[in-house]
Amino acid sequence: MKIVIDGMGGDNAPKSNVEGVVDAIKEYNVDLIVTGDKELLEKEFSNYEFDRSKLEIIHTTEVIENEDKPVKAIRSKKDASMVIALRLVKEGKADAVVSAGNTGALLAGGLFVVGRIKGIDRPCLCPAMPNAKHGMTLIADGGANADCKPRNLVEFAAMSNIYSKKVLGIENPRLALANVGIEEGKGNDLVKKSYEELKKLDLNFIGNVEARDAINACTDIIVCDGFTGNILLKSVEGVAMSVMKLIKETILSSTKGKMGAMLIKSDLQKLKSFMDYAEYGGAPLLGVDGGVIKAHGSSNAKAIKNAINQGIKFAQGNVVEDIKEVVKKIEEQNKEEK
Amino acid sequence: MKIVIDGMGGDNAPKSNVEGVVDAIKEYNVDLIVTGDKELLEKEFSNYEFDRSKLEIIHTTEVIENEDKPVKAIRSKKDASMVIALRLVKEGKADAVVSAGNTGALLAGGLFVVGRIKGIDRPCLCPAMPNAKHGMTLIADGGANADCKPRNLVEFAAMSNIYSKKVLGIENPRLALANVGIEEGKGNDLVKKSYEELKKLDLNFIGNVEARDAINACTDIIVCDGFTGNILLKSVEGVAMSVMKLIKETILSSTKGKMGAMLIKSDLQKLKSFMDYAEYGGAPLLGVDGGVIKAHGSSNAKAIKNAINQGIKFAQGNVVEDIKEVVKKIEEQNKEEK
């Protein structure tokens, strides 16, 4: 098995990418390919001692920047580290790709370079959100598709279910629709129709989940359109950060509070690490014909290493093959109904 | 001026409603009507000393419960405290109504009893969300309309703008669209089209706001469909509560932390009160032909008193007349464009 890492993607590239790759080779004994500026990468790798036989560097001359228009960048920067990495997956030379680069470009590249799985209408990005039970909750779709049809939500559910089982090791993942109330019949047109469709599938569909409870680990997967997923994900991220900041400000505004703060500092640090996205690696792009893992733009070495581990599990778990099978099943079911 | 209060609506009715009414009479010297079971209400009011000449009780025999189906309840329970209160506004016998009862029923009653303002397609519920700058941010729509057209979002913006000026006293309210990115052109179809329309209006439209920043007071009003508004509002509420709880758990898990907790207790209490929805009264239903204020279901006396104050300002500010004028302006502008 081989995993390819976009060596130039991310705010801390190539430094964190290289360090993450070294750590992954040491921890998982896996064969890795890194794409990017060979000279720059070699220099970075020379700082570490590790088994060089596990590493291949493929020289590329271009980099897709965060400011680049996604589709245009994928089409015009043909020798970008991200494009070459995606191509290796397409050509079967790598089993999965990890990139911390431009999210839109990676989504576009997943579609145009790797390609959709036949029968899947829209691939979805599937990030994990830390929950209050110190676990994580998948959001499917977390932002790839702003406008969705019920068919899309059904596919997101089926695909994230497989990912949750195979990569996260959850035996019988609970799936819920993000909604404005828990009762059946609540919500907008999309959610109401999707509810009907999801009931028919062989999934552990537990109904609706309100945004208020999204963080409470009452479901393993939250199914929604990408607009809603983004709103949910980012509001959780924003509020968690703001509340922590407010608490700090409030406590430090009194002398008594300052003394208290010294005593609880290490405990709050623990809490902060639980809310740290780096712990959870990256988000898979599900529905394309290969493993594509989007690591956070600000990934440090640990996040890159964790994302590589996700890529390994993704490949070992035959996630793509399982999605192909479930697509067939859904198609057959739809035929029978007609 | 007269404000009518649904004496039987809310989890703590009639006790908190009565106490809130007494406090409002004392603080604002306003004439109030309370609808509900007269005997029960008289008994509650007998616990307080206040200027009885400011209070009128109208006896009603039915109550709309939280479990009642909204439209059916409004139509069948004709002598419900909520329905009679709404009717007083319709008939011009009261300037605004405050209810902490069944939200869906109040929305339905706003439409069917009070009636829409001519030219407004869909009224919106406009709750306030506490923000990290110790102020509040309006959400328009906060949950009345799950499916929206761009026209609706334009109306939500125009109406909440007036409310923000006249009731909250904000001179030139900033309005932003809830979106997945700040750049123009981001988002789903609804948001993209609404952006175009909002640019044309005479509003302080500042573009898109990401959910991550919704809590950071970077805008006074967040414009969105009611599904998105509900997701945003409830995730903020849920996360704030969960993070506070997590902090408590984390701190109390160590001896050092327990000592620290004693020192910061009063500071955290301050923070909790900032996140307390009761401080902010209720949410107006904008676009109906009268003042309709929805107080939180779990309103205590303070929340009821604050909601009554909102009703007073709503009436004094001629919000309904202003909305009627702005509707005309938008209609004229649309005609000119055609």
Side-chain angles (χ1 to χ4, degrees):
Chain A
M1 191 204 322
K2 271 191 180 165
I3 310 291
V4 57
I5 293 92
D6 168 7
M8 312 301 280
D11 306 340
N12 308 315
K15 196 174 167 6
S16 294
N17 306 33
V18 164
E19 197 184 332
V21 162
V22 171
D23 291 345
I25 288 175
K26 286 180 180 168
E27 192 163 333
Y28 313 122
N29 193 34
V30 61
D31 290 302
L32 299 180
I33 306 172
V34 179
T35 58
D37 182 320
K38 193 158 187 169
E39 200 175 327
L40 203 64
L41 289 170
E42 288 284 11
K43 208 180 138 200
E44 276 295 334
F45 276 114
S46 71
N47 296 323
Y48 304 93
E49 268 184 44
F50 63 102
D51 182 355
R52 274 296 303 240
S53 74
K54 307 299 274 180
L55 173 70
E56 180 185 351
I57 296 176
I58 294 187
H59 180 63
T60 59
T61 57
E62 292 175 291
V63 176
I64 294 180
E65 308 288 350
N66 270 337
E67 301 71 35
D68 283 340
K69 300 244 167 188
V71 177
K72 200 182 152 199
I74 288 292
R75 289 196 166 145
S76 62
K77 292 187 168 176
K78 290 195 190 304
D79 199 42
S81 56
M82 184 194 282
V83 174
I84 298 301
L86 286 160
R87 184 150 299 146
L88 291 174
V89 173
K90 172 69 179 174
E91 292 165 354
K93 291 174 185 159
D95 298 278
V97 52
V98 169
S99 176
N102 184 321
T103 307
L106 193 67
L107 297 181
L111 276 175
F112 300 131
V113 181
V114 181
R116 263 186 307 136
I117 290 173
K118 207 180 146 234
I120 292 289
D121 186 43
R122 307 284 290 267
C124 77
L125 194 65
C126 208
M129 184 174 84
N131 63 42
K133 298 273 157 67
H134 301 267
M136 54 180 162
T137 306
L138 289 180
I139 312 286
D141 174 16
N145 308 282
D147 288 289
C148 289
K149 300 183 289 283
R151 175 192 172 168
N152 302 128
L153 265 62
V154 165
E155 290 174 359
F156 301 164
M159 295 191 294
S160 57
N161 182 57
I162 291 167
Y163 175 81
S164 177
K165 280 184 183 175
K166 291 300 191 72
V167 177
L168 307 180
I170 294 168
E171 208 172 314
N172 191 22
R174 296 160 299 169
L175 290 107
L177 271 168
N179 208 340
V180 299
I182 55 165
E183 306 88 349
E184 187 173 351
K186 284 265 179 183
N188 56 18
D189 272 356
L190 172 66
V191 167
K192 285 184 210 164
K193 285 175 186 157
S194 302
Y195 195 106
E196 290 304 310
E197 296 301 316
L198 284 171
K199 277 200 303 187
K200 296 180 200 163
L201 297 184
D202 184 22
L203 292 171
N204 185 10
F205 175 54
I206 59 167
N208 296 320
V209 61
E210 284 191 81
R212 194 200 312 264
D213 288 320
I215 198 180
N216 289 331
C218 50
T219 181
D220 298 300
I221 302 170
I222 295 177
V223 179
C224 54
D225 66 88
F227 188 88
T228 301
N230 179 288
I231 296 279
L232 194 58
L233 208 60
K234 290 210 180 147
S235 63
V236 169
E237 199 182 322
V239 175
M241 271 166 33
S242 289
V243 171
M244 291 290 277
K245 210 177 130 205
L246 266 175
I247 287 172
K248 214 171 141 188
E249 279 172 17
T250 310
I251 292 174
L252 296 182
S253 67
S254 76
T255 316
K256 212 171 70 177
K258 271 181 201 155
M259 285 166 61
M262 281 169 60
L263 292 164
I264 62 166
K265 208 173 163 186
S266 62
D267 291 317
L268 283 189
Q269 214 60 42
K270 250 192 285 174
L271 196 66
K272 215 172 165 186
S273 88
F274 134 74
M275 286 189 292
D276 182 2
Y277 280 66
E279 298 285 330
Y280 303 106
L285 178 63
L286 302 174
V288 295
D289 202 357
V292 178
I293 310 287
K294 170 69 183 85
H296 206 284
S298 58
S299 285
N300 54 19
K302 189 174 181 182
I304 296 287
K305 189 199 75 179
N306 285 339
I308 292 171
N309 191 28
Q310 273 175 290
I312 296 170
K313 287 183 180 166
F314 193 98
Q316 281 173 343
N318 289 316
V319 174
V320 168
E321 297 312 312
D322 279 16
I323 291 177
K324 285 178 182 172
E325 257 176 52
V326 99
V327 167
K328 266 187 221 158
K329 266 193 208 160
I330 295 178
E331 279 176 349
E332 276 162 25
Q333 195 174 323
N334 286 346
K335 261 185 217 161
E336 275 171 29
E337 275 179 29
K338 283 168 194 169
Chain B
M1 191 205 320
K2 272 191 180 166
I3 311 292
V4 57
I5 294 90
D6 169 7
M8 312 301 281
D11 305 341
N12 309 315
K15 197 175 170 359
S16 293
N17 306 32
V18 164
E19 197 184 333
V21 162
V22 170
D23 292 345
I25 288 176
K26 286 181 180 167
E27 192 164 335
Y28 313 123
N29 193 35
V30 62
D31 290 302
L32 299 180
I33 307 171
V34 179
T35 57
D37 183 320
K38 193 159 187 169
E39 202 176 325
L40 204 65
L41 290 169
E42 289 285 10
K43 208 179 140 199
E44 276 295 334
F45 276 113
S46 72
N47 296 324
Y48 304 93
E49 269 184 42
F50 64 101
D51 182 355
R52 274 296 302 240
S53 74
K54 307 300 272 180
L55 173 69
E56 182 185 350
I57 297 176
I58 294 185
H59 180 64
T60 58
T61 57
E62 291 175 291
V63 176
I64 294 179
E65 308 289 350
N66 270 336
E67 301 70 35
D68 282 340
K69 298 243 170 191
V71 177
K72 199 181 154 200
I74 288 291
R75 290 197 165 143
S76 63
K77 292 188 169 176
K78 290 196 191 304
D79 199 41
S81 57
M82 185 194 282
V83 174
I84 298 300
L86 286 160
R87 185 151 297 145
L88 291 174
V89 172
K90 172 68 179 174
E91 292 166 354
K93 290 175 185 158
D95 299 277
V97 53
V98 169
S99 177
N102 183 320
T103 307
L106 193 68
L107 297 180
L111 275 175
F112 300 131
V113 181
V114 180
R116 263 187 306 136
I117 291 173
K118 209 182 144 231
I120 292 290
D121 185 44
R122 306 285 289 270
C124 76
L125 195 65
C126 208
M129 184 174 86
N131 63 42
K133 297 275 155 66
H134 301 268
M136 54 181 161
T137 306
L138 289 180
I139 311 287
D141 175 19
N145 308 282
D147 288 288
C148 288
K149 300 182 290 284
R151 173 190 174 170
N152 302 128
L153 266 63
V154 165
E155 290 175 358
F156 302 165
M159 296 192 293
S160 57
N161 182 58
I162 291 167
Y163 176 80
S164 177
K165 279 184 183 174
K166 291 300 191 73
V167 176
L168 306 181
I170 294 168
E171 209 173 313
N172 191 22
R174 295 160 299 168
L175 290 107
L177 273 168
N179 207 340
V180 299
I182 54 165
E183 306 88 348
E184 189 173 349
K186 284 264 179 184
N188 56 18
D189 272 355
L190 172 67
V191 167
K192 285 186 210 165
K193 285 175 186 157
S194 302
Y195 195 107
E196 289 304 311
E197 296 301 316
L198 285 171
K199 276 201 303 188
K200 295 179 199 163
L201 297 183
D202 185 22
L203 291 171
N204 186 10
F205 175 54
I206 59 167
N208 296 320
V209 60
E210 284 190 81
R212 193 200 311 263
D213 288 320
I215 198 181
N216 290 330
C218 50
T219 181
D220 298 300
I221 302 170
I222 294 176
V223 179
C224 54
D225 65 89
F227 188 89
T228 301
N230 179 288
I231 295 279
L232 193 57
L233 208 61
K234 291 211 180 144
S235 64
V236 169
E237 198 182 322
V239 175
M241 272 167 32
S242 290
V243 171
M244 291 289 278
K245 210 176 131 208
L246 265 175
I247 287 172
K248 215 172 140 187
E249 280 173 16
T250 310
I251 292 174
L252 295 182
S253 67
S254 77
T255 314
K256 209 170 72 176
K258 270 182 202 155
M259 286 166 60
M262 280 169 62
L263 292 165
I264 62 166
K265 207 173 165 187
S266 61
D267 291 317
L268 283 189
Q269 214 59 41
K270 248 191 288 174
L271 196 67
K272 214 173 166 186
S273 88
F274 134 76
M275 285 188 293
D276 182 3
Y277 279 68
E279 299 283 330
Y280 303 106
L285 178 63
L286 301 175
V288 295
D289 202 359
V292 177
I293 311 287
K294 170 68 182 86
H296 206 283
S298 59
S299 285
N300 55 18
K302 190 175 182 182
I304 296 287
K305 191 200 73 179
N306 285 340
I308 293 171
N309 191 28
Q310 274 175 290
I312 295 170
K313 287 184 181 165
F314 193 97
Q316 281 174 343
N318 289 316
V319 172
V320 169
E321 297 312 311
D322 280 17
I323 290 177
K324 285 179 182 171
E325 257 175 53
V326 100
V327 167
K328 268 187 219 157
K329 265 193 210 160
I330 295 177
E331 280 177 348
E332 277 163 25
Q333 195 174 321
N334 286 346
K335 263 184 213 161
E336 276 171 29
E337 275 180 28
K338 282 170 193 166

